[in-house]
Amino acid sequence: MAGSNDLKLLGMWASPFVLRVKLALSLKGLSYEYVEEDLRTKSELLLKSNPVHKKVPVLIHNGKPVCESSVILQYIDEAFAGTGPSLLPVDPYERAMARFWAAYIDDKMMAAWNQASKAKTEEEKAEAMKQSFATVETLEGALRDCGKGKPFFGGEDVGYVDVVLGGLLGWIRANDELQGVKPFDPERTPLLAAWAERFWSLEAVEPQMPDVSKLVEFGKMLQARQAAAGEGN
Amino acid sequence: MATDVPAVKLIGWYGSPYVHRAEVALRLKGVPYEFIRDDPINKSELLLQHNPIHKKVPVLLHGDRTICESLVILEYVDETFDGPPLLPVDPYERAMARFWAHFIDQKFARPFWMSFWMCEDDEHKEAFVKEAKGNLAILEEQLKGRRFFGGDAVGFLDVAACGLAHWLGVIEEVSGVTLVNGDEFPAFCKWAKAYVNDDTVKQSLPDRDELLAFFSGNKEIYMALARATLHK
């Protein structure tokens, strides 16, 4: 079906944001060409397609680029509305809730994790971890209250929030080894822990997920690089 | 018309462009609503009950539904109520509108804010001003040949960018820092004027003089915040 629905994804194997898009495309059953970018020498195509941020993922559909993972997910859902399951629900209020939680994951939860990784002193680290954990607990609450006992944030089936959070699962598992922290501890956040196992083992998901041992290696390399550079940003 | 139309209420603070986003969306759709003015220093039980996570405004109450986060509210209002569409119909155009709204709230916002409120002699100020102007140039490009970001009428992205149309001038005056001028950013200046003069938009814009007094009164706070968040 080349030509009418030509899809190309510019990505990087370790990026959780790229993974979100891969997951969405897989769940919708859409075929695409994947281009692995070397982020230290970005391709002309990447720079031309995302001049504002110069980042991956970029989805190029019939030559037109879409950037920012959450924007791409919604685009896939709307442009391919007739193909495969919908990521976002039909009801406007449920859609608003999905968008709210997706924004929470990116703006609050990830921001807290980033702070934790930048912490220099033990004290800073402890405080940052506490903040981080508070955001995870809030998300556990969302799954409990909005999910109402259903297997996914999207209900009976995977939806937008599941994909947004699911993209982070590789790094969540890798961080267990890298930082000795279980962000989705089965004792403290049992619903999220169960959700993570369930999501990872889905037929449309598992083949897309990164090799966690490779992420750990990559994470160690990044840590070493950061330490060598002296002060972090 | 149904007899049982659920009431629409909007909780907001004076002077917030995020609250304006929600108000103007409701007005563009012709939705009657009750504005509940809250106080950021003394947040009401109502606000804390309906937005326990962020404790911020705007908060839209529609019957027994609560919607928080201004851009989420915009899309909810667009999808729920009849009236002219706020977002374009075409999926690619919608993606572009969402991308640019995201840009305004994420990459654009910080250097913009910091340019105004950092001390004159702070070594970082110049870098923020440069970055802010670079971002403005990007938006200028988007406006070339268009009256509004949305085309001929005010749309989602124009509403998302409202702070740049109305609040920008006030903040420039209070801080003494001028980022925008008609020579460097002609399309942007034309857009800002068109936005604030739109008949529907006008109804929910705070009075400029009042806004000026409000920002002047808070100047020290903004400057202290800018210093405090420099290394975040």
Side-chain angles (χ1 to χ4, degrees):
Chain A
M1 275 248 277
S4 62
N5 268 323
D6 180 32
L7 279 172
K8 190 182 279 194
L9 175 62
L10 308 184
M12 188 268 177
W13 70 274
S15 162
F17 305 103
V18 172
L19 180 56
R20 286 173 176 173
V21 179
K22 285 185 182 171
L23 290 171
L25 291 166
S26 173
L27 286 160
K28 293 284 258 181
L30 293 165
S31 47
Y32 60 99
E33 180 195 342
Y34 177 74
V35 177
E36 175 75 14
E37 286 279 337
D38 176 352
L39 297 182
R40 281 166 301 173
T41 43
K42 294 172 183 177
S43 71
E44 262 315 299
L45 181 61
L46 174 56
L47 296 175
K48 191 181 77 162
S49 306
N50 192 355
V52 174
H53 301 294
K54 305 178 177 49
K55 287 182 177 174
V56 291
V58 179
L59 184 73
I60 306 177
H61 183 203
N62 293 336
K64 287 153 89 174
V66 184
C67 311
E68 294 290 301
S69 64
S70 58
V71 176
I72 296 172
L73 292 187
Q74 293 186 77
Y75 175 74
I76 290 172
D77 212 29
E78 292 174 0
F80 297 96
T83 309
S86 291
L87 291 179
L88 276 157
V90 170
D91 174 69
Y93 182 58
E94 289 179 34
R95 291 161 74 83
M97 290 301 98
R99 288 179 178 130
F100 175 86
W101 287 112
Y104 183 82
I105 288 164
D106 277 349
D107 300 339
K108 286 272 167 324
M109 198 177 84
M110 291 205 72
W113 288 356
N114 285 336
Q115 277 300 108
S117 69
K118 282 185 203 171
K120 296 189 186 80
T121 66
E122 278 309 308
E123 213 176 80
E124 269 178 26
K125 196 168 180 202
E127 180 57 36
M129 296 294 269
K130 203 171 125 194
Q131 305 276 5
S132 252
F133 188 69
T135 66
V136 176
E137 273 189 316
T138 300
L139 210 55
E140 173 87 356
L143 190 51
R144 184 182 52 240
D145 303 334
C146 309
K148 297 195 207 335
K150 299 259 170 73
F152 299 105
F153 285 93
E156 291 299 335
D157 297 306
V158 165
Y160 181 62
V161 179
D162 300 282
V163 176
V164 167
L165 189 58
L168 310 179
L169 280 177
W171 279 106
I172 285 174
R173 286 195 180 178
N175 275 332
D176 193 354
E177 193 177 318
L178 284 167
Q179 305 203 343
V181 161
K182 262 194 172 59
F184 292 176
D185 187 334
E187 281 188 21
R188 297 167 88 182
T189 52
L191 295 176
L192 279 173
W195 169 85
E197 294 297 319
R198 192 181 301 129
F199 183 84
W200 191 295
S201 53
L202 288 171
E203 206 180 308
V205 168
E206 187 154 26
Q208 308 297 329
M209 298 308 264
D211 181 337
V212 177
S213 59
K214 289 210 169 87
L215 281 182
V216 171
E217 246 178 74
F218 186 72
K220 286 186 174 150
M221 188 212 48
L222 285 178
Q223 279 172 343
R225 217 190 260 168
Q226 201 176 345
E231 293 301 303
N233 47 321
Chain B
M1 176 101 149
T3 48
D4 214 6
V5 178
V8 177
K9 300 183 189 184
L10 182 68
I11 308 175
W13 297 331
Y14 174 78
S16 161
Y18 301 101
V19 171
H20 166 79
R21 284 174 173 177
E23 276 203 272
V24 84
L26 290 167
R27 286 184 185 273
L28 285 166
K29 292 291 219 183
V31 178
Y33 64 97
E34 177 194 342
F35 183 77
I36 301 174
R37 183 163 166 172
D38 190 81
D39 179 358
I41 315 290
N42 251 324
K43 295 174 187 177
S44 65
E45 258 320 296
L46 188 70
L47 174 63
L48 297 176
Q49 180 201 345
H50 285 285
N51 193 356
I53 290 171
H54 301 296
K55 305 179 175 53
K56 286 179 178 175
V57 294
V59 175
L60 185 75
L61 305 174
H62 182 203
D64 58 2
R65 301 167 163 186
T66 302
I67 302 99
C68 307
E69 295 292 285
S70 61
L71 295 181
V72 177
I73 292 173
L74 286 194
E75 294 222 40
Y76 175 78
V77 168
D78 201 24
E79 292 171 358
T80 305
F81 300 102
D82 293 330
L86 297 177
L87 269 162
V89 170
D90 173 69
Y92 188 73
E93 296 299 317
R94 291 163 75 85
M96 291 302 101
R98 287 178 181 133
F99 172 84
W100 289 113
H102 208 242
F103 170 75
I104 286 167
D105 275 0
Q106 308 277 344
K107 191 159 195 259
F108 187 93
R110 186 171 145 80
F112 186 70
W113 184 254
M114 296 298 268
S115 298
F116 293 119
W117 305 120
M118 294 244 61
C119 282
E120 200 51 58
D121 54 0
D122 190 302
E123 68 199 73
H124 300 95
K125 192 178 175 91
E126 205 182 311
F128 282 123
V129 169
K130 190 167 171 218
E131 199 181 337
K133 286 193 132 176
N135 289 337
L136 277 164
I138 292 173
L139 288 181
E140 173 78 11
E141 259 316 295
Q142 288 305 303
L143 279 166
K144 290 249 147 74
R146 295 186 204 215
R147 181 172 164 73
F148 294 108
F149 285 108
D152 294 323
V154 169
F156 177 82
L157 186 51
D158 302 283
V159 174
C162 65
L164 306 180
H166 188 60
W167 277 257
L168 173 65
V170 168
I171 293 173
E172 282 184 324
E173 214 175 300
V174 172
S175 66
V177 175
T178 305
L179 284 187
V180 175
N181 62 72
D183 294 326
E184 273 182 89
F185 307 109
F188 181 89
C189 290
K190 259 179 92 178
W191 165 80
K193 208 165 165 197
Y195 183 79
V196 303
N197 285 304
D198 177 271
D199 287 330
T200 310
V201 166
K202 259 188 213 166
Q203 297 164 28
S204 53
L205 279 178
D207 172 79
R208 199 182 187 279
D209 291 332
E210 276 179 31
L211 204 57
L212 196 61
F214 176 78
F215 272 86
S216 296
N218 287 336
K219 186 175 174 178
E220 294 304 316
I221 298 175
Y222 301 142
M223 293 186 74
L225 259 174
R227 276 193 300 275
T229 58
L230 179 60
H231 294 290
K232 286 265 168 82

